[in-house]
């Protein structure tokens, strides 16, 4: 099974503390003109689309609108939960936010799915930048409006940014604190001033924030749970919903931005519906019965054995392996370093050696996957060989505090003999345990404190149970008492949020441009912040320093160099037992749809650019 996911090269070597001085926003976006209205911005290199571009290449301007799609979401953002929802506010810590709420909000700018670091005007018609690149002035499009017809004003943008900065989910607010001030210059002009050491990620995040109606939110508690659909401005508005079961989004037919180049040919479905199931078997049966119309499959057993039901064999359901050109990210078992038993990296490395990927892949996953060793798989940011001079410039100041292996070839998990009981791996693991002061007495592995080493793997689905059981069996061979604990969706979300676990499975895909997201996963500031994505509780000064270099990188070369340095540290510290990845995405869908001839490079484009074919719906026997 593949778990859920939850969107560069040269470095000037400087000495001492200067090597870690923040790169200012004024050093980034160097190719952009100052004090000139711009239709878009690009972190690295030129924009693909010029000022007069008609539409994105992967969108079909002749795409018909209508019909519906019913699906589930494989990703989560901020407070979302894969299995349930109880609030329509996804931008705060409290509650479990609904999928799809981003469809209801316009943003100042939006990215394209065939570039890695560009944004184009959406609610903002243009943006201009001061010479020092600390002041960004957005001019709103004259047609920008909320769903009730009231115009989006600069005051609404000011309210949105300050509210998210001061009251929003920490994983968003932490980046927006790079805003020193935001003010409405006039009805349609917003001026955002960044703090002196803000990274470029601050402005990218700012440009991509939802725009709320200040008038609608007046008198309401932004940090509370929300059962009433807030006034939006995006291509969809909230339709019917039932907490914990489903939510629908209805297309706004006269949406103000329908003729904007960034929107032409996009968002063609009249209705998008997200279904919630707490059991993967139940959700698969719902797909077979036509209650779900599009499904991305993550379970290799299902993909290998179960897509042979009548609707597949007679062509009413299509299955395809869609090429995935995005970096695969890293999925694995995250050790909770807040618990002393995982404090020693040698213990963590030993535990990792007891996972037999080769046996698991062959016997449980139909040899569908490759072993992962990094959060940067399938990208140039994955470290290899000995560190370059540029990487060493980042790592040397912390040599005394880092494991020596950081300065060697990066760690790659050894290949087992595939028997599920590789004695060589067990001997290597035992040697590491003993080196860490542990000892095997009888059938119990004891920590240096004399405490029996136990592990609870926390999960919310029995789909993952065979994979855990194979790992647990090997752990037990060295006297480690482990179990797989399945809890319901609400408890799972709460325990993750409060870091109440020994080991948990997560997957994180790194951005292809400087983004504050990476700080949320690995930065010390989130190690003990409830709701943080820092599942392992990493608090490492060397990592913090490298993260700032990643976030504030002003060239592609610099970005890649810093990522590779980070990759070396993470792999040497053994915070995660990496699992697996693959080069394609498994898609299955009822044959109701068509799509543009050109696909986006970094997305499937399903909700974004596909459309309904009524003739095919009739052929499948489904309703529109």
């Amino acid at each position: 099974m593949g778990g859920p996911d939850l969107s560069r090269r040269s470095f000037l070597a400087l000495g001492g503390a200067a090597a870690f001085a923040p790169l200012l926003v004024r050093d980034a976006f160097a190719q952009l003109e100052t004090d000139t209205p711009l239709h878009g911005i690009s972190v690295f290199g030129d924009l693909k689309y010029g000022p007069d571009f008609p539409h994105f290449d992967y969108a079909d301007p002749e795409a018909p609108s209508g019909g519906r799609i019913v699906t589930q979401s494989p990703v989560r953002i901020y407070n979302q939960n894969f299995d349930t929802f109880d609030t329509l506010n996804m931008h705060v810590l409290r509650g479990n936010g609904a999928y799809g709420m981003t469809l209801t909000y316009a943003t100042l700018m939006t990215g394209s799915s065939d570039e890695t670091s560009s944004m184009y005007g959406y609610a903002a018609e243009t943006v201009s930048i001061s010479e020092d690149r600390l002041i960004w002035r957005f001019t709103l499009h004259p047609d920008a409006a909320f769903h009730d017809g009231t115009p989006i004003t600069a005051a609404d943008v000011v309210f949105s940014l300050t509210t998210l900065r001061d009251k929003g989910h920490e994983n968003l607010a932490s980046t927006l604190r790079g805003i020193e001030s935001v003010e409405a210059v006039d009805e349609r002009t917003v001026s955002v001033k960044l703090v002196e050491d803000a990274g470029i990620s601050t402005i990218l995040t700012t440009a991509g924030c939802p725009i709320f109606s200040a008038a609608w939110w007046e008198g309401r508690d932004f940090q509370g749970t929300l059962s009433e659909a807030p006034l939006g401005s995006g291509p969809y508005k909230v339709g019917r919903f039932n907490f914990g079961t489903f939510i629908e989004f209805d297309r706004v037919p006269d949406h103000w931005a329908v003729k904007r180049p960034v929107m032409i040919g996009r968002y063609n479905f009249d209705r998008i519906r997200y279904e919630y199931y707490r059991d993967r078997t139940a959700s698969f049966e719902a797909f077979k019965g036509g209650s779900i119309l599009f499904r991305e499959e993550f379970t290799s057993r299902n993909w290998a054995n179960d897509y042979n039901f009548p609707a597949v064999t007679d062509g009413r359901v299509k299955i395809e392996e869609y090429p995935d050109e995005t970096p695969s990210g890293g999925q694995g078992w995250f050790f909770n370093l807040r618990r002393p038993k995982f404090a020693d990296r040698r213990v963590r490395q030993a535990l990792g050696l007891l996972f037999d990927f080769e046996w698991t892949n062959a016997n449980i996953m139909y040899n569908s996957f490759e072993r992962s060793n990094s959060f940067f798989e399938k990208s140039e940011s994955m470290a290899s060989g000995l560190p370059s001079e540029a990487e060493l410039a980042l790592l040397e100041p912390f040599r005394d505090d880092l494991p020596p292996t950081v300065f060697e070839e990066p760690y790659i998990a050894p290949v087992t003999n595939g028997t599920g009981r590789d004695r060589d791996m067990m001997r290597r693991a035992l040697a590491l345990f003993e080196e860490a002061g542990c000892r095997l007495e009888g059938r119990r592995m004891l920590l240096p404190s004399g405490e029996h080493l136990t592990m609870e793997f926390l999960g919310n689905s029995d789909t993952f149970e065979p994979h855990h059981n194979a790992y647990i069996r090997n752990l037990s061979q060295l006297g480690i008492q482990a179990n797989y604990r399945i809890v319901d969706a609400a408890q799972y979300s709460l325990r993750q949020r409060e870091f109440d676990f020994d080991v948990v499975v997560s997957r994180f895909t790194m951005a292809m441009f400087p983004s504050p997201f990476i700080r949320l996963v690995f930065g010390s500031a989130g190690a003990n912040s409830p709701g943080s994505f820092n599942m392992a509780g990493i608090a490492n000064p060397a990592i913090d320093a490298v993260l700032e270099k990643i976030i504030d990188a002003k060239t592609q070369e610099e970005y890649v160099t810093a990522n590779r340095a980070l990759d070396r540290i993470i792999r040497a510290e053994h915070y995660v037992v990496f699992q697996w990845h693959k080069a394609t995405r498994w898609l299955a869908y009822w044959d109701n749809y068509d799509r543009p001839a050109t696909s986006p490079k970094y997305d499937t484009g399903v909700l974004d650019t596909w459309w309904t074919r009524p003739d095919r719906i009739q052929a499948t026997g489904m309703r529109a």
Side-chain angles (χ1 to χ4, degrees), residues 23 28 43-44 200 514 548-555 558-559:
L23 294 169
V43 178
F44 300 131
I200 61 175
E548 297 312 307
K549 285 297 186 182
I550 293 170
I551 295 168
D552 296 319
K554 65 179 183 292
T555 67
E558 194 170 295
Y559 179 67

Side-chain angles (χ1 to χ4, degrees), residues 512-570:
M512 292 179 283
F513 58 87
S515 166
F517 176 78
I518 200 165
R519 185 195 288 131
L520 305 179
V521 180
F522 304 119
S524 298
N528 293 297
S529 298
S532 163
F533 290 148
N534 188 343
M535 307 308 295
I538 298 169
N540 186 317
I543 286 180
D544 289 338
V546 175
L547 290 175
E548 297 312 307
K549 285 297 186 182
I550 293 170
I551 295 168
D552 296 319
K554 65 179 183 292
T555 67
Q556 184 178 6
E557 293 83 357
E558 194 170 295
Y559 179 67
V560 169
T561 293
N563 276 325
R564 288 175 178 172
L566 174 67
D567 190 34
R568 291 180 185 280
I569 300 173
I570 291 173

Side-chain angles (χ1 to χ4, degrees), residues 420-578:
R421 296 175 180 271
D422 191 320
R423 293 184 179 277
D424 179 58
M425 293 300 159
M426 291 187 182
R427 282 192 292 267
R428 293 170 64 175
L430 182 58
L432 283 166
F433 280 126
E434 291 175 344
E435 185 181 327
C438 303
R439 63 188 186 278
L440 184 59
E441 287 190 359
R443 300 184 61 83
R444 303 170 75 220
M445 177 63 70
L446 304 182
L447 294 164
S449 63
E451 174 190 0
H452 186 197
L453 177 53
T454 63
M455 294 169 60
E456 180 181 271
F457 294 87
L458 182 68
N460 65 343
S461 170
D462 60 4
T463 304
F464 223 171
E465 195 162 12
H467 311 72
H468 282 81
N469 286 342
Y471 191 10
I472 288 168
R473 183 176 63 245
N474 276 358
L475 292 169
S476 68
Q477 296 299 307
L478 285 187
I480 300 159
Q481 181 181 318
N483 70 289
Y484 182 46
R485 173 78 179 278
I486 301 174
V487 297
D488 63 39
Q491 186 179 357
Y492 183 72
S493 179
L494 180 63
R495 289 186 61 175
Q496 274 199 322
R497 190 174 300 169
E498 297 182 351
F499 311 121
D500 182 17
F501 57 83
D502 282 345
V503 185
V504 70
V505 174
S506 284
R507 179 184 176 190
F508 296 104
T509 300
M510 300 300 112
M512 292 179 283
F513 58 87
S515 166
F517 176 78
I518 200 165
R519 185 195 288 131
L520 305 179
V521 180
F522 304 119
S524 298
N528 293 297
S529 298
S532 163
F533 290 148
N534 188 343
M535 307 308 295
I538 298 169
N540 186 317
I543 286 180
D544 289 338
V546 175
L547 290 175
E548 297 312 307
K549 285 297 186 182
I550 293 170
I551 295 168
D552 296 319
K554 65 179 183 292
T555 67
Q556 184 178 6
E557 293 83 357
E558 194 170 295
Y559 179 67
V560 169
T561 293
N563 276 325
R564 288 175 178 172
L566 174 67
D567 190 34
R568 291 180 185 280
I569 300 173
I570 291 173
R571 290 158 72 178
E573 291 284 5
H574 301 280
Y575 297 125
V576 181
V577 179
F578 286 105

Side-chain angles (χ1 to χ4, degrees), residues 49 157 176 218 224 250 313 316 335 346 351 424 601 610:
Y49 298 98
V157 178
L176 294 180
E218 186 175 358
D250 298 329
T313 56
R316 289 176 295 150
F335 296 116
R346 294 166 296 188
L351 292 170
D424 179 58
K601 186 174 183 179
W610 288 23

